[in-house]
Amino acid sequence: MRFPAPVLGFVLALTMLVGGCGAPRESSSPPTGDTAPGSARRWVIAFSQCTTTEPWRKVFNEQLRAEARKHADEITFLEADAQDRTDTQVSQVETFIRQKVDALLISPKDEGLTSVVERAHAAGIKVIVLDRNVRTDRYDCFIGGDNLEIGRAAGRHAVELLGGPGRARGKILESEPGIRVIGGQDCDWKQEQARTYAENILKVERDVDLVYAHNDPMAYGARLAAESLGIAQRMHFLGIDALPDEGVRYVQEGKLSATFAYLTPGAEGLRQALKLLRGEPVPRRIRLATATITPQNAALWRHGPPADFQMILDPKNP
């Protein structure tokens, strides 16, 4: 996850940044390069993850590995976890470049990965950037969620929870008459940091009506803070991610009022990497769809996106 969604100013917008560290790990066999004449080409695909300290990124990795296993007969899959450090992630990608991998999937910690992404692309490696972008167009494809649409969806839902357009009252959103924004803190996607921050705010601002956080662990942390002060039952809590055993479960249990789907891009990234390596056309930018999960539809999301959910938006959009 993700640069903070541009959400028009919500109460207690518990935002965050992420990063990377660790050595490349092999998930199958070592790089083989070209195989013997007459045999199939075995591609080497490397994955650079900025961190795995939050649940969403752990699921991201699991889903990518599962997709890689489906293609074990044609690829060697390498991965590295940067453990929240930009310098480590740069070093790991440099290692992949020296190994002359065929494709690189990268979810950057921050824009500090721009230069090494450009070097990978210049080296002839197919580069797919996942979730967070870099300040260059020297890559082959970007895949990620539509943060602007998620922010709009959260804003619309917040207004509905507080009375509807033109009637909403409370402390959150500056563009709707009658609603006031307070707070706003980078809590690094962490539940405990969000809980501590929310406790400090809520001890002073005890009439807060709604808390919006940029992931479900932080929203839940704010909920725990409100519970400790005895004011949670009259408040609303919104999060993002909608992992089945986290955000969706919290909605079903009444801990969150809603969560917004933020699909992981890893599996789709691997599928697009294989298309690139086979010489097939790939969209320049692939946007992943979102959905609002409330108590009314949470059961449909309890095991992941419903079968009829359209996961990719405008796949041909350049």
Side-chain angles (χ1 to χ4, degrees):
M1 224 168 315
R2 300 91 67 190
F3 292 121
V7 292
L8 303 180
F10 287 87
V11 195
L12 262 60
L14 308 173
T15 60
M16 50 266 152
L17 301 171
V18 199
C21 172
R25 186 181 76 178
E26 232 174 77
S27 292
S28 55
S29 56
T32 58
D34 291 322
T35 54
S39 63
R41 175 71 160 87
R42 187 175 184 85
W43 305 110
V44 180
I45 298 179
F47 170 49
S48 173
Q49 178 63 281
C50 60
T51 186
T52 52
T53 58
E54 55 169 310
W56 185 83
R57 289 198 180 270
K58 291 178 181 177
V59 172
F60 182 160
N61 284 25
E62 291 166 1
Q63 293 178 345
L64 177 49
R65 290 170 191 154
E67 186 65 26
R69 286 194 293 271
K70 296 177 183 178
H71 304 278
D73 60 336
E74 58 181 325
I75 71 169
T76 292
F77 181 64
L78 307 177
E79 62 178 297
D81 173 7
Q83 299 173 6
D84 263 345
R85 291 182 58 91
T86 300
D87 57 346
T88 300
Q89 193 169 24
V90 168
S91 177
Q92 290 170 343
V93 174
E94 288 174 340
T95 297
F96 289 143
I97 295 172
R98 289 194 297 271
Q99 290 176 325
K100 298 182 179 180
V101 302
D102 297 295
L104 170 68
L105 307 179
I106 180 169
S107 188
K109 171 177 168 57
D110 52 38
E111 294 177 351
L113 276 295
T114 297
S115 178
V116 78
V117 164
E118 291 180 330
R119 294 201 297 276
H121 190 256
I125 296 170
K126 303 299 184 184
V127 178
I128 296 183
V129 180
L130 305 173
D131 176 50
R132 292 178 176 168
N133 218 331
V134 285
R135 295 183 67 84
T136 182
D137 59 0
R138 297 177 188 172
Y139 55 78
D140 294 279
C141 179
F142 172 84
I143 304 174
D146 189 334
N147 285 335
L148 183 58
E149 178 52 34
I150 292 173
R152 287 170 175 157
R156 290 191 295 266
H157 196 70
V159 170
E160 290 298 329
L161 288 172
L162 296 179
R167 301 183 303 277
R169 295 292 182 272
K171 290 186 177 180
I172 347 175
L173 170 47
E174 58 195 11
S175 63
E176 176 70 14
I179 297 179
R180 182 166 68 88
V181 181
I182 64 168
Q185 174 72 30
D186 178 352
C187 294
D188 197 32
W189 314 97
K190 307 294 192 305
Q191 179 175 306
E192 285 306 312
Q193 289 189 34
R195 180 175 182 172
T196 298
Y197 173 67
E199 283 178 350
N200 292 335
I201 287 286
L202 294 174
K203 286 176 181 176
V204 177
E205 299 275 359
R206 297 183 67 87
D207 58 345
V208 165
D209 300 285
L210 183 147
V211 175
Y212 168 76
H214 286 193
N215 74 352
D216 293 323
M218 293 192 300
Y220 186 62
R223 168 81 192 206
L224 293 176
E227 288 178 354
S228 72
L229 298 172
I231 59 175
Q233 293 305 314
R234 63 170 181 73
M235 295 174 62
H236 298 287
F237 300 85
L238 305 180
I240 294 176
D241 283 353
L243 297 183
D245 292 326
E246 191 178 68
V248 176
R249 176 168 59 84
Y250 293 155
V251 170
Q252 287 186 304
E253 294 173 350
K255 301 295 185 180
L256 299 185
S257 302
T259 181
F260 300 86
Y262 196 92
L263 305 179
T264 71
E268 186 61 33
L270 192 135
R271 289 190 286 267
Q272 297 299 327
L274 283 171
K275 287 182 179 180
L276 283 168
L277 293 171
R278 294 168 184 152
E280 300 174 21
V282 166
R284 176 72 178 167
R285 189 173 186 87
I286 296 176
R287 294 186 301 138
L288 301 178
T290 188
T292 302
I293 292 88
T294 66
Q296 287 70 43
N297 67 349
L300 298 175
W301 285 79
R302 194 61 179 85
H303 300 289
D308 60 350
F309 181 67
Q310 180 62 49
M311 298 181 67
I312 296 177
L313 298 175
D314 303 326
K316 296 183 181 179
N317 184 39

